Amino acid sequence: REVEWLRQRPLQLDGVAGLETVVRGRVEGAPVQVRSVVIRRKGCLYDLLFVAPPETFEARGADFEAFLAGWEFLLEKP
């Protein structure tokens, strides 16, 4: 319940508009940081999440960034 909103901004993922949100909080007493990317396309909602302890969030964030960079909708383009 202790959530600190760090940023929220629009983004594009494979040409589709979405929303990125980064928050920091606690889960069962342990600190955690979450980056979520939400995309709605053709009646489907995609929730892509990266969750890590705050002390490793930035260092491991490159892996999630690479995942997003390679994201491709396989069915017809928007």
Side-chain angles (χ1 to χ4, degrees):
R1 299 191 189 265
E2 302 170 29
V3 176
E4 177 186 359
W5 292 79
L6 301 177
R7 76 173 177 260
Q8 190 169 57
R9 63 183 179 195
L11 61 71
Q12 292 275 321
L13 192 61
D14 194 24
V16 180
L19 182 67
E20 174 198 46
T21 304
V22 179
V23 296
R24 186 179 297 142
R26 293 188 166 279
V27 175
E28 297 182 0
V32 65
Q33 195 162 327
V34 178
R35 179 179 176 195
S36 73
V37 174
V38 178
I39 305 280
R40 183 181 300 266
R41 181 178 180 274
K42 296 197 178 270
C44 294
L45 183 66
Y46 298 84
D47 292 307
L48 310 173
L49 298 174
F50 169 62
V51 182
E55 61 272 9
T56 61
F57 187 83
E58 292 302 322
R60 297 304 308 254
D63 295 335
F64 188 67
E65 196 61 43
F67 169 73
L68 293 177
W71 182 270
E72 184 178 342
F73 293 102
L74 296 179
L75 299 178
E76 58 190 86
K77 296 286 182 186

